[in-house]
Amino acid sequence: MKIGLDVLGGDYAPDSTINGAIEAQKALQEGQRLVLIGDQQDTVERLKQAGADPEKFEYVHAPENIGMHEHPTKAISQKPNSSIAKGFELLKNGEIDSFASAGNTGAMLVGAVFSVKAIPGVLRPAIATNVPKIKSGYGILLDVGANADCKPEMLSQFATLGSLYMEYVYGLQNPKVGLLNIGEEEEKGNNLTISTYPLLKENKKINFIGNTEGRDLFTDAADVYVCDGFTGNVVLKLAESFYVVTLKKGFKDEFFDRFNYERYGGSPILGVNAPVIIGHGISTPEAIKNMVLLSKDMIESQIIDKIKSAFN
């Protein structure tokens, strides 16, 4: 197993990514190797300065970085030696089994869709994020930003992707799927949700429980919440602010602690031909470590093969 990590991605890279890689490597088993993609000489020097053994890692030299504000498509094509472009080249060629980066989100999406490509049958890949439950554990919400405008057929596929992810990566059998809406009644919502509802009812690959409202999101009402990427991103950013507010107010609570992005590290792009994880731009070493470990879990679960079978 080879887990690719973009060393140059993120606001605090490469210090954050390298320190996170060191901690992640300690949790990996024999035969599981972390491939660090970035400026090789600088990476090796920083590992030595941090007291780590450079021999425990593999390296791919990619000295260029795609900045957070660069145009994704142009940057990918114009910077072939960037860490993100090189990472997707390696992933496409099967030289690494997964790729994770806390760098430019748009570039990660472009690389995933145009390099690794969508699984045949998948209309559009989706980004999924963890949703803490009040009692314990997590559900997931998708899409949270890959597709601002969606068709009903896409939302139905998101439900299938999310269900497979919950079952095979999180080990939850027959996860409940809810359509995020403004009311529980079947006829409620806008044109998108009204048209999506019957498709979800007919989808034999999911356990659809009906419409769910915003107030249901952190309960056990559902395990997979489906929405368009515009709505999902608004919900995600609002939820992230909860943790920040509790810190500023000096309020300590286990439930709100689970809103901390560091705990799960990153968000998977579901529906492409290999495990791809997008990390938060402000990722700390703890977040980087957990992003790597999520990559490992996705590889071990063979989630890509499960999705391919479902859409075959």
Side-chain angles (χ1 to χ4, degrees):
M1 178 190 298
K2 292 191 177 184
I3 303 169
L5 175 65
D6 174 11
V7 172
L8 302 180
D11 294 345
Y12 307 125
D15 288 337
S16 180
T17 48
I18 289 174
N19 287 324
I22 292 170
E23 293 305 310
Q25 188 276 328
K26 295 175 183 177
L28 297 179
Q29 300 173 354
E30 186 176 351
Q32 298 173 343
R33 296 281 283 180
L34 192 48
V35 181
L36 304 181
I37 305 164
D39 187 315
Q40 182 171 344
Q41 183 177 349
D42 181 69
T43 299
V44 170
E45 286 301 317
R46 289 176 183 270
L47 286 169
K48 290 178 179 177
Q49 291 172 11
D53 180 3
E55 294 297 321
K56 293 183 177 180
F57 301 88
E58 294 184 22
Y59 308 89
V60 172
H61 187 56
E64 290 186 286
N65 180 40
I66 295 177
M68 291 297 194
H69 301 292
E70 289 190 61
H71 189 281
T73 306
K74 290 181 180 179
I76 286 282
S77 60
Q78 294 174 0
K79 289 186 171 181
N81 288 320
S82 65
S83 51
I84 288 180
K86 187 64 69 173
F88 279 112
E89 179 186 330
L90 296 167
L91 192 61
K92 178 183 178 180
N93 294 335
E95 297 176 61
I96 55 177
D97 299 302
S98 67
F99 180 51
S101 173
N104 187 304
T105 299
M108 288 294 289
L109 280 169
V110 169
V113 172
F114 292 103
S115 179
V116 182
K117 301 188 183 303
I119 288 170
V122 173
L123 296 172
R124 291 294 298 272
I127 302 175
T129 192
N130 282 13
V131 176
K133 294 188 176 185
I134 293 175
K135 290 184 178 179
S136 65
Y138 293 91
I140 61 167
L141 172 70
L142 73 167
D143 178 36
V144 294
N147 310 280
D149 296 300
C150 292
K151 296 180 179 179
E153 295 80 7
M154 293 165 61
L155 264 61
S156 181
Q157 289 196 349
F158 296 168
T160 301
L161 291 170
S163 294
L164 292 168
Y165 184 78
M166 286 299 295
E167 180 177 356
Y168 292 105
V169 178
Y170 279 16
L172 181 64
Q173 295 296 315
N174 201 31
K176 296 177 290 186
V177 176
L179 175 62
L180 198 61
N181 209 335
I182 60 172
E184 295 180 358
E185 298 84 0
E186 184 172 345
E187 67 276 6
K188 282 289 186 71
N190 55 17
N191 290 336
L192 175 61
T193 56
I194 291 171
S195 299
T196 299
Y197 195 102
L199 296 182
L200 295 178
K201 284 179 67 175
E202 296 165 5
N203 189 338
K204 303 300 183 184
K205 298 173 183 176
I206 66 171
N207 175 20
F208 180 52
I209 55 96
N211 285 328
T212 49
E213 299 180 74
R215 63 187 175 187
D216 299 319
L217 198 58
F218 309 117
T219 71
D220 290 324
D223 305 299
V224 179
Y225 294 90
V226 177
C227 62
D228 63 271
F230 184 93
T231 302
N233 194 264
V234 171
V235 172
L236 170 62
K237 298 295 173 59
L238 176 62
E240 286 181 343
S241 73
F242 293 167
Y243 177 67
V244 177
V245 170
T246 59
L247 290 181
K248 290 182 177 179
K249 292 291 185 179
F251 178 62
K252 187 70 175 176
D253 181 86
E254 193 276 334
F255 168 66
F256 287 108
D257 285 347
R258 283 187 280 121
F259 281 88
N260 183 0
Y261 73 94
E262 292 179 318
R263 288 199 171 194
Y264 51 89
S267 299
I269 303 178
L270 299 180
V272 293
N273 281 295
V276 177
I277 313 289
I278 298 176
H280 207 297
I282 58 171
S283 287
T284 62
E286 178 70 12
I288 297 295
K289 179 192 80 172
N290 286 326
M291 184 167 64
V292 170
L293 297 182
L294 176 58
S295 300
K296 177 183 75 73
D297 290 343
M298 289 186 69
I299 297 169
E300 289 180 331
S301 71
Q302 298 181 324
I303 183 63
I304 305 303
D305 291 337
K306 309 297 184 186
I307 295 173
K308 287 180 178 178
S309 296
F311 283 86
N312 185 4

